[in-house]
Amino acid sequence: MQVALNEARIAMDKGEIPIGAIIVCHDKIIAKAHNQTETLNDATAHAEMLAITGAMATLGSKYLKDCTLYVTVEPCLMCAGAIHWAQIPKIVYGTKDRKKGYSSYSTKIFSQKTKVISGILEKESTEILSSFFKNNLR
Amino acid sequence: MQVALNEARIAMDKGEIPIGAIIVCHDKIIAKAHNQTETLNDATAHAEMLAITGAMATLGSKYLKDCTLYVTVEPCLMCAGAIHWAQIPKIVYGTKDRKKGYSSYSTKIFSQKTKVISGILEKESTEILSSFFKNNLR
């Protein structure tokens, strides 16, 4: 999760909403990404989406069945849908997104076997977001 | 919707699940796409996702506020999330997806202003899918 948090810091430095994600497969990081919606001019370029497509390209597989996704913030509905299609069995996230997080919409997106762990580096993941929004009032 | 259906036929010819999508802006088609999960080895390469990113690239904008998305099948949760982020105000789809369609999970994904029209070329959109699954038992 520290690596994901570093990705969030890279996003912050670019003026992007600071969210970072990595994908780990057999104890190896196979994809790292941060939110790039501004840089790529693409509202779907969330950290998780970029990490997932990157990991698929790295493995040459459209499924990520042996992988874990670490992301600093609870995934949105779009990213949760992508996690579902990629068949990622384990998701670890930092801070909850009470407004746009997938669990505010539906709790039946993932299969019952999918493991979801939250609250890892929660304080740091929240602080970087708070700091960003404090400096970029919208 | 006929153009979206043509895209579905292109997918069919490639051995992809036959779903097609287009995005129209001010009466002009600005993006056409079909499902390419097999070709791109990417479980997130749905017709809608490819059409949305294509339209954003065409317009040079991360929002598609003046656009309509036409898609042969009801969008899944991931694609519905992408439609939400792209702020597409109007969605027209052919046939309902009772298993993976977004409305099976949540009905509050889009804003109240978003217009959703279903059942356009429904028969044709359903038939091409049925034909595919008949020939590709999974």
Side-chain angles (χ1 to χ4, degrees), chain A residues 6-138:
Chain A
N6 280 344
E7 284 293 317
R9 289 187 191 110
I10 295 171
M12 179 85 155
D13 291 342
K14 286 182 177 177
E16 299 274 4
I17 294 176
I19 299 173
I22 63 162
I23 291 178
V24 172
C25 189
H26 300 303
D27 297 325
K28 201 175 158 190
I29 296 172
I30 59 163
K32 294 195 276 188
H34 51 271
N35 173 43
Q36 293 208 65
T37 53
E38 301 297 330
T39 310
L40 300 178
N41 226 357
D42 178 351
T44 71
H46 289 192
E48 302 95 310
M49 296 301 287
L50 300 175
I52 288 170
T53 50
M56 285 169 174
T58 301
L59 294 184
S61 164
K62 65 176 184 146
Y63 300 120
L64 303 173
K65 292 182 183 181
D66 297 318
C67 298
T68 300
L69 169 74
Y70 293 82
V71 56
T72 54
V73 181
E74 180 188 2
C76 73
L77 214 50
M78 171 182 72
C79 294
I83 291 163
H84 164 83
W85 289 117
Q87 300 184 15
I88 300 174
K90 190 174 171 188
I91 302 123
V92 182
Y93 69 82
T95 187
K96 207 164 178 64
D97 181 348
R98 295 190 193 282
K99 210 170 158 190
K100 298 283 187 183
Y102 74 87
S103 62
S104 308
Y105 293 90
S106 174
T107 50
K108 55 172 186 166
I109 300 171
F110 305 131
S111 79
Q112 283 193 321
K113 286 181 187 169
T114 307
K115 203 169 177 183
V116 181
I117 298 167
S118 61
I120 309 300
L121 293 189
E122 185 176 8
K123 195 178 155 224
E124 293 83 345
S125 300
T126 308
E127 274 175 359
I128 190 169
L129 274 178
S130 306
S131 163
F132 175 85
F133 285 112
K134 200 174 157 188
N135 296 326
N136 297 270
L137 287 177
R138 283 156 188 248

